[in-house]
Amino acid sequence: MALQAKRCDIFTDVSGMMTGDPRIVERARYLKEVSYDEVVNMAHEGAKVIHPRAVQVAQQGHLPLTIRSTWDAVDEMGTLISDHSLGIQHYRSVTGVAHQTGLTQFKVSTQAHTSQEIFKLLADNHLSVDFININLDGIVFNLTEKEAQKAIDLFTQANIEATYTEHCAKVSIIGAGIMGTPGITAKMVQALAQNRVKILQTTDSYTTIWVLVHEDQLVAAVNALHDSFLVEA
C-alpha cells in the first residue's frame, strides 16, 4: 500500500493454492481465483501457502495478490486473490478443504462449576481453547496436544469433572457461498457417513463448517469431503 502498487506477485515453490493438501487429498486441484476472506479462513484452518496476515494487509488496500511458482512459465499465472467474493458465490459454494491435526477434545461438566469458572481457569493459565460448544450439562472444546496435559492437571487440582479424547483432527470446508446455500451440512454429514467417519463435534460460521474426527480417520474424511464438494461428477 505504501508503494501504491497495483498488484503483488508472490513467488513460491507451488503453482498456486489448491482445493486441498495434495499430500493427502488424491484429487486436489489448483484454484484460479479466490477471495481474500476464503484464503484467510483456509490459512487459519491449516492451509500453509500464505500467511493470513499478508492477505489481510492486501485486503485493506484492495491490492490483488497472485501466488505462483518461481519455476512456471510467465503465462502461467497461478492463483489470483482479490476482492470479489460476491462473484464467487454465484458459481461455487465450497472453495477448499483444510485440516489441523494434533488436537485433544475435552468434555467438561458444569454441574459443580460454571462455564465462566472453567473458562477463567483456562484463561488465567494462558490456555487458548478452540472449537467450543456449550450446552446445559457442560462445555466441549479442543486444545493442542501440547497444551492438553496442562489442562488435565488444572482440572484434577480443581476437582473439575472432565473427560478427554486424544489424537483428534479438525476438518473444515471453506467457501464464500456456504451461508445461504441449503443442504451443505446434510451433504457433509452424508459424505462422512458413507465413508464410516465418526463425527465427534461440529460447528459452523458464515464461511466455514468444521467437524472433529479421530486422527486415524483424517485421510478418509478429507478425501470424502473434497470429492463430495469439489470434484465434478
Side-chain angles (χ1 to χ4, degrees):
M1 289 186 290
L3 297 175
Q4 297 183 339
K6 294 183 178 180
R7 57 179 283 180
C8 175
D9 288 357
I10 299 175
F11 290 89
T12 180
D13 59 349
V14 295
S15 298
M17 288 201 67
M18 302 189 76
T19 52
D21 186 339
R23 294 171 296 181
I24 65 171
V25 179
E26 296 176 3
R27 295 200 274 182
R29 56 180 173 80
Y30 286 104
L31 292 159
K32 291 183 178 180
E33 56 181 344
V34 290
S35 69
Y36 295 117
D37 288 339
E38 288 173 313
V39 173
V40 168
N41 285 320
M42 288 179 71
H44 279 307
E45 300 308 325
K48 304 297 184 184
V49 176
I50 187 170
H51 196 284
R53 180 57 183 152
V55 181
Q56 290 168 339
V57 171
Q59 184 176 18
Q60 291 170 5
H62 304 284
L63 177 68
L65 300 174
T66 301
I67 300 174
R68 53 187 301 189
S69 172
T70 306
W71 317 112
D72 285 346
V74 175
D75 58 349
E76 295 183 30
M77 293 304 295
T79 301
L80 172 66
I81 306 169
S82 61
D83 198 6
H84 63 310
S85 59
L86 291 177
I88 286 176
Q89 291 182 25
H90 294 303
Y91 66 89
R92 70 181 182 217
S93 55
V94 176
T95 298
V97 178
H99 67 276
Q100 296 179 37
T101 59
L103 302 176
T104 298
Q105 182 196 55
F106 284 81
K107 294 182 179 180
V108 185
S109 171
T110 51
Q111 296 299 313
H113 299 80
T114 65
S115 298
Q116 181 180 354
E117 291 172 332
I118 293 167
F119 285 127
K120 185 176 187 306
L121 175 65
L122 294 167
D124 288 346
N125 287 274
H126 310 290
L127 293 174
S128 178
V129 300
D130 182 32
F131 206 164
I132 304 167
N133 295 128
I134 301 175
N135 54 54
L136 293 175
D137 299 318
I139 55 177
V140 183
F141 59 84
N142 288 261
L143 288 168
T144 64
E145 291 180 352
K146 183 178 179 180
E147 295 181 322
Q149 187 57 54
K150 184 176 182 180
I152 293 170
D153 293 341
L154 287 171
F155 292 149
T156 300
Q157 294 167 10
N159 292 318
I160 295 174
E161 181 183 346
T163 60
Y164 58 95
T165 303
E166 297 179 299
H167 308 302
C168 296
K170 182 168 68 168
V171 181
S172 314
I173 58 170
I174 299 118
I178 285 179
M179 179 62 71
T181 302
I184 296 290
T185 301
K187 188 175 181 179
M188 189 176 192
V189 171
Q190 181 181 19
L192 295 173
Q194 288 176 341
N195 287 271
R196 299 182 180 180
V197 176
K198 182 179 180 181
I199 299 174
L200 302 176
Q201 189 179 351
T202 182
T203 191
D204 63 89
S205 74
Y206 181 75
T207 60
T208 309
I209 302 177
W210 300 269
V211 293
L212 192 75
V213 301
H214 291 292
E215 203 166 275
D216 59 6
Q217 293 188 309
L218 171 64
V219 174
V222 171
N223 280 280
L225 295 178
H226 184 274
D227 288 353
S228 181
F229 288 100
L230 294 161
V231 175
E232 295 181 1

